[in-house]
Amino acid sequence: MNKRGIPSGPMEQLNFLDLAMISAERPHAPYHLCMAGIYDPSTSPAGAPGYEGIMAKLESLLPEVPALRRKIVKVPWNLDRPYWVDDPDFDLEFHVRHLALPKPGDWRQYRTQVARLNSRPLDMSRPPWEFTVIDGVDGVEGCQPGCFATVLKIHHCVIDGALGVQLYNVIHDTTADASQPLGERTWTPEPMPSDGELLRRAAVNAVTNPTRALRSVMGNLTAIGREVVDSRRQPTAKNHPVCRIRFNNRVSPHRTWEEARCSLDDLRRVKARVPGATVNDVCISIVGQALDAYLTALGEPPTCPLVTTVPVSTRVPGDSTTSGNQVSMMTVSMHTDITDPLQRVAAIRAETVTKKATQHGVTMPVLRDVAQALPGALIGTVVRGLAPLMGRGTPQFNTTVTNVPGPATDQYLMGCKLVRSSGCPPVQDGSGLFHAVSSFAGAFLFAFNADRAAMPDPEVYRAHLDRSIADHVAAAS
């Protein structure tokens, strides 16, 4: 691990979830994340850094952030999971782009450009990330003349939400001191592993991984049995029928992206009215009401309460040494059959508190150990075989809501203050609407990425989110 807390190491194996994300990707449904931000250069004595300045900044990060310079190498015949290795032909200019919005450079132009960037797949033969600088965003409400934006696009197999926040913190500084040294700007790639080395590792893993998985199962049999008994006494998400809505079909290659904003203090007041509730419970309730209203207005009212899936980090608090994805999924009813906002939040809370206890038990880590023992070829084959079926069978959920905490302090890029920050998560077949909710600078953001064929009018859905937020705040008052 480097001094900034980002995992490092010249050669590291992908875990089973990372490989599943790669295998599930389709040309019309890429599996990357976008982190978008707008900056005010008035805080920097040198003004906006420009393309060369951005290049110098990113180049200085390469020695300490191997995730930016590593690519995927497969084991011969897919006998094991792939590895991250240094790209000996790494070319920074390939990964950094620069464009400008035409006047007036308003919010609609900006969000359309972000959605357009998000819809294009990454080149998986290279380190899977891109960094785009966007000039001409002066027309965005609240932005001063000269403001510019950046969009970091990185494949989900590289990072989960927690590591994404850490990576964003590494790129930024906590002060506007533009004179800070950029640090070492040279690095030497580690040699590429030979096929013989990869096969040797595969042979060792073929023995050690099943042994480790068996040891994990046998050592936790009593605890697993206890959790199974406890779970049977509680209602589970499987008891909730899931109706098909327009976002549970095969997605198109095109995306729409938008966000609603409110005060973080307002959400805290809402959660304070429901004992034990969290901001995330309130978010699920807000999204559920808005989505139900949006579908009803289209003449497609849901036939049962909507259901969301919620990514839950399984990363041990304070652990930044493990790269890749350390998450599991929790399916929760949004209880959209309850009209009173506070009663709905209470119903969601009653369900999430039970589900989270299950997610943080011993069963999930044991299941991950077992999955790690599966051959890479089997994981890829199964996921690739199931991917075309997504969006055709019975849906398991209607949408996704993930809450990734934003930066706790002011952030600067080469002296320029970050004034707007938001996420753009991936959508897949059967899951054509994804919400990324987060806090930033006292505001709370409900960003959503959708299949454009299913949601050609994101501004309409945003209006429903605004109305739902207002209803929850009014109920808390």
Side-chain angles (χ1 to χ4, degrees):
M1 184 179 68
N2 62 42
K3 61 184 179 181
R4 300 280 195 112
I6 297 295
S8 60
M11 185 172 174
E12 186 175 1
Q13 192 170 31
L14 279 72
N15 65 38
F16 83 97
L17 185 54
D18 301 335
L19 177 56
M21 290 178 173
I22 296 174
S23 302
E25 183 167 84
R26 292 293 180 271
H28 70 281
Y31 220 122
H32 53 249
L33 306 167
C34 282
M35 290 173 276
I38 298 180
Y39 301 85
D40 181 1
S42 67
T43 59
S44 171
Y51 179 75
E52 293 299 329
I54 296 291
M55 288 285 290
K57 174 68 174 180
L58 293 175
E59 187 178 5
S60 72
L61 297 176
L62 296 177
E64 61 174 316
V65 187
L68 297 179
R69 67 185 199 231
R70 297 191 302 187
K71 69 175 185 177
I72 296 170
V73 61
K74 295 182 178 180
V75 177
W77 305 296
N78 288 324
L79 292 178
D80 202 356
R81 286 173 279 114
Y83 286 85
W84 290 111
V85 300
D86 280 345
D87 182 2
D89 301 315
F90 180 79
D91 179 10
L92 181 60
E93 288 192 354
F94 174 84
H95 297 272
V96 183
R97 321 291 169 87
H98 197 181
L99 57 87
L101 297 180
K103 290 185 178 303
D106 57 20
W107 172 255
R108 179 169 182 173
Q109 290 173 290
Y110 171 65
R111 68 170 173 81
T112 300
Q113 183 61 60
V114 172
R116 188 174 297 141
L117 291 170
N118 188 45
S119 66
R120 300 170 185 167
L122 289 161
D123 184 348
M124 298 302 290
S125 68
R126 299 170 181 262
W129 64 276
E130 293 176 0
F131 191 86
T132 302
V133 181
I134 305 176
D135 289 330
V137 295
D138 309 66
V140 175
E141 183 180 357
C143 293
Q144 303 298 320
C147 282
F148 66 97
T150 67
V151 178
L152 172 62
K153 183 164 70 173
I154 187 166
H155 202 278
H156 210 328
C157 69
V158 182
I159 56 173
D160 56 19
L163 279 183
V165 172
Q166 292 180 31
L167 177 59
Y168 216 52
N169 289 339
V170 168
I171 294 174
H172 294 84
D173 301 306
T174 56
T175 69
D177 182 8
S179 64
Q180 298 179 70
L182 292 179
E184 181 62 44
R185 296 174 58 179
T186 60
W187 63 280
T188 302
E190 294 289 332
M192 289 278 289
S194 65
D195 287 350
E197 169 65 11
L198 294 172
L199 290 172
R200 186 192 67 78
R201 288 174 177 250
V204 172
N205 288 339
V207 176
T208 58
N209 285 347
T211 302
R212 187 182 300 112
L214 180 61
R215 187 182 300 117
S216 178
V217 172
M218 298 305 295
N220 292 282
L221 278 178
T222 301
I224 292 174
R226 188 184 305 115
E227 288 183 3
V228 170
V229 172
D230 292 342
S231 67
R232 290 182 179 275
R233 296 173 180 171
Q234 301 290 341
T236 66
K238 293 182 179 179
N239 302 129
H240 302 304
V242 182
C243 57
R244 180 177 294 279
I245 61 175
R246 60 171 46 213
F247 300 107
N248 298 136
N249 301 308
R250 187 180 188 274
V251 299
S252 74
H254 311 295
R255 303 288 174 262
T256 52
W257 175 75
E258 177 62 283
E259 65 178 37
R261 301 165 67 88
C262 68
S263 166
L264 177 58
D265 288 340
D266 282 344
L267 292 194
R268 287 172 173 164
R269 278 191 286 271
V270 176
K271 84 175 183 68
R273 292 294 305 276
V274 180
T278 66
V279 168
N280 203 47
D281 297 327
V282 178
C283 291
I284 294 173
S285 178
I286 289 173
V287 170
Q289 177 179 322
L291 182 54
D292 185 87
Y294 176 76
L295 294 170
T296 300
L298 291 174
E300 304 171 8
T303 57
C304 62
L306 296 171
V307 175
T308 183
T309 184
V310 181
V312 178
S313 175
T314 58
R315 191 177 298 277
V316 176
D319 172 26
S320 59
T321 63
T322 306
S323 64
N325 288 267
Q326 304 291 323
V327 296
S328 61
M329 307 303 288
M330 179 175 70
T331 309
V332 179
S333 172
M334 304 174 90
H335 296 281
T336 48
D337 55 328
I338 301 176
T339 56
D340 182 84
L342 297 184
Q343 292 180 15
R344 189 185 316 115
V345 173
I348 291 170
R349 175 56 182 169
E351 185 171 343
T352 58
V353 69
T354 301
K355 299 290 179 60
K356 287 180 180 179
T358 301
Q359 295 289 327
H360 291 287
V362 300
T363 303
M364 292 305 298
V366 171
L367 290 177
R368 287 196 300 273
D369 289 340
V370 172
Q372 293 287 74
L374 297 175
L378 178 60
I379 298 174
T381 300
V382 170
V383 173
R384 282 189 294 269
L386 292 175
L389 303 178
M390 301 302 293
R392 298 179 182 177
T394 301
Q396 302 301 306
F397 54 89
N398 300 120
T399 187
T400 303
V401 179
T402 182
N403 187 349
V404 180
T409 59
D410 288 340
Q411 301 284 299
Y412 298 85
L413 178 63
M414 303 189 73
C416 304
K417 186 176 182 179
L418 180 65
V419 293
R420 292 190 72 143
S421 177
S422 193
C424 192
V427 300
Q428 296 288 297
D429 288 338
S431 179
L433 176 61
F434 200 129
H435 303 79
V437 299
S438 64
S439 57
F440 175 72
F444 202 88
L445 315 176
F446 291 80
F448 56 91
N449 187 32
D451 170 25
R452 195 168 76 191
M455 184 185 284
D457 50 0
E459 66 282 350
V460 174
Y461 182 56
R462 175 185 176 175
H464 285 291
L465 280 170
D466 290 336
R467 191 170 301 115
S468 179
I469 293 169
D471 288 346
H472 281 72
V473 173
S477 300

